[in-house]
């Protein structure tokens, strides 16, 4: 394996933002690309990142909130149109129903495209794996993958990928929880929800509706400080903050985390590539 990296495709949130696409990232290990979450704009962001969408045969969904799944229809059908013939999707309970709904919605469309001569493989035979609960996931990939239950309004899993000696963790959306500390133990890279970063949208408002929402968001997401504390407790090497509302104060966000965490802190940007150093080059 000559390359291990995470590409931040979308570092945004449910609030539409020109600078930040919907939540999604790709883990690249050698020539294997694994997509985690599939927010609005994921397929376009893949193209911009130079990763052919049809080369992605594995998608892990952290949860089924709209901001994380809006891009699925385009990823599924568009990637198939580009030549993908195999796809495995791992996600929480409800993933199959969501997938089937998309297939039913576009039944005539898919029938038209298969009538043109395109095989149905890659769209009609998608392997859906619904996770039973926390623990190891066997999905055919040659690496150890663990899922842990996060603290969020709907069933949400964080994922830990152990590739050779390297460990990469993606939290999905979560409030602080011991489960993310355990999942991130000794990780080389942790990509974590820091939705509660300082933003003018909520901080300089006297609008009671927005104030109420901000208060309630405290139960569902992490702040940069909380993300840093999780990373410090878990012994993480590199911390990537993501899932931002529009117009965050980037300097403040970075400082809030860096004050509490000695490792590298990255305030994620769309299309940013974050390399992971491979300690011993084991061929996978
Ligand atoms: Zn969510
Ligand atoms: Zn979200």
């Amino acid at each position: 394996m000559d390359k291990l990296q995470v590409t931040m495709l979308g570092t945004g949130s449910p609030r539409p933002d020109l600078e930040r696409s919907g939540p999604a990232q790709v883990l690249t290990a050698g020539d294997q690309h694994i997509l985690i979450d599939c927010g609005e704009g994921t397929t376009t962001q893949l193209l911009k990142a130079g990763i052919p969408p049809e080369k992605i045969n594995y998608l892990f969904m952290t949860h089924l909130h709209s901001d994380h799944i809006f891009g699925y229809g385009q990823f599924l059908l568009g990637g198939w149109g580009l030549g993908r013939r195999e796809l495995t999707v791992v996600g929480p309970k409800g993933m199959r129903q969501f997938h089937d709904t998309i297939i039913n919605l576009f039944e005539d469309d898919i029938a038209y495209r298969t009538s043109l001569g395109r095989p149905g493989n890659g769209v009609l035979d998608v392997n859906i794996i619904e996770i039973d609960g926390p623990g190891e996931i066997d999905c055919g990939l040659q690496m150890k993958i663990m899922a842990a239950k996060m603290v969020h309004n709907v069933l949400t899993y964080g994922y830990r990928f152990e590739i050779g000696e390297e460990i990469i963790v993606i939290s999905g959306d979560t409030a602080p929880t011991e489960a993310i500390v355990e999942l991130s133990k000794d990780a080389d890279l942790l990509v974590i929800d820091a939705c509660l970063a300082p933003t003018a949208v909520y901080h300089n408002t006297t609008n009671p509706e927005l104030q109420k929402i901000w208060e309630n968001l405290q139960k569902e997401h992490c702040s940069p400080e909380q993300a840093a504390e999780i990373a410090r407790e878990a012994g993480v090497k590199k911390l990537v903050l993501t899932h931002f509302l529009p117009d965050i104060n980037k300097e403040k966000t970075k400082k809030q985390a860096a004050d509490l965490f000695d490792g590298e802190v990255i305030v994620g940007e769309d299309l940013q590539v974050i390399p992971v150093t491979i300690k011993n080059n084991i061929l996978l």
Side-chain angles (χ1 to χ4, degrees):
M1 188 177 66
D2 56 348
K3 191 159 73 171
L4 186 59
Q5 63 188 35
V6 170
T7 305
M8 304 302 291
L9 296 175
T11 58
S13 70
R15 279 183 171 253
D17 183 353
L18 273 177
E19 273 183 39
R20 299 187 186 277
S21 194
Q25 46 267 302
V26 174
L27 166 56
T28 299
D31 53 10
Q32 178 79 253
H33 300 287
I34 301 164
L35 179 63
I36 301 111
D37 282 338
C38 196
E40 172 81 5
T42 293
T43 304
T44 316
Q45 293 297 88
L46 282 168
L47 291 168
K48 285 186 190 164
I51 302 168
E54 69 274 22
K55 291 271 159 59
I56 293 183
N57 302 112
Y58 284 89
L59 163 61
F60 287 73
M61 224 53 120
T62 60
H63 64 305
L64 300 176
H65 270 160
S66 57
D67 51 323
H68 296 250
I69 61 175
F70 267 145
Y72 185 65
Q74 170 69 322
F75 173 75
L76 179 66
L77 296 180
W80 172 57
L82 289 170
R84 188 195 303 119
R85 296 292 170 259
E86 269 181 41
L87 180 63
T88 293
V89 181
V90 178
K93 194 166 163 38
M95 185 62 232
R96 186 182 305 281
Q97 195 197 352
F98 173 64
H99 168 82
D100 288 347
T101 302
I102 297 279
I103 292 288
N104 291 337
L105 202 56
F106 294 107
E107 197 180 353
D108 292 347
D109 183 277
I110 294 166
Y112 159 63
R113 293 177 206 290
T114 48
S115 79
L116 295 174
R118 190 170 285 130
N121 312 71
V123 69
L124 296 176
D125 60 354
V126 175
N127 177 27
I128 306 281
I129 299 172
E130 288 190 342
I131 301 167
D132 281 341
E136 195 166 343
I137 298 167
D138 182 11
C139 62
L141 277 166
Q142 297 301 306
M143 58 183 77
K144 187 177 175 191
I145 304 170
M146 303 291 291
K149 212 171 145 208
M150 300 293 101
V151 172
H152 197 50
N153 179 267
V154 294
L155 180 59
T156 301
Y157 288 107
Y159 295 110
R160 173 186 176 101
F161 301 87
E162 297 184 14
I163 303 155
E165 292 181 20
E166 278 62 52
I167 299 162
I168 292 161
V169 176
I170 314 279
S171 75
D173 291 4
T174 190
T177 163
E178 194 51 37
I180 187 62
V181 176
E182 277 168 32
L183 191 72
S184 310
K185 193 93 198 112
D186 298 326
D188 295 273
L189 183 65
L190 167 63
V191 178
I192 187 166
D193 167 13
C195 187
L196 303 178
T199 163
V201 176
Y202 289 104
H203 283 198
N204 302 336
T205 184
T206 49
N207 178 333
E209 185 186 309
L210 289 178
Q211 286 174 339
K212 182 82 191 154
I213 293 173
W214 180 252
E215 201 183 301
N216 281 322
L217 284 176
Q218 310 299 311
K219 290 178 274 182
E220 313 293 346
H221 297 280
C222 287
S223 66
E225 291 100 330
Q226 290 166 332
E229 274 163 10
I230 288 161
R232 188 182 60 194
E233 239 185 282
V236 166
K237 292 185 188 67
K238 204 185 278 192
L239 174 66
V240 182
L241 308 177
T242 190
H243 202 288
F244 297 124
L245 296 160
D247 299 322
I248 58 155
N249 183 323
K250 291 174 201 167
E251 291 72 38
K252 236 188 207 171
T253 298
K254 184 163 184 167
K255 190 177 179 324
Q256 285 180 352
D259 282 351
L260 297 170
F261 174 67
D262 286 339
E264 188 180 350
V265 176
I266 295 170
V267 178
E269 297 289 343
D270 280 20
L271 301 178
Q272 187 171 11
V273 176
I274 298 148
V276 176
T277 309
I278 300 167
K279 292 180 278 283
N280 286 310
N281 203 349
I282 299 165
L283 286 174
L284 288 177

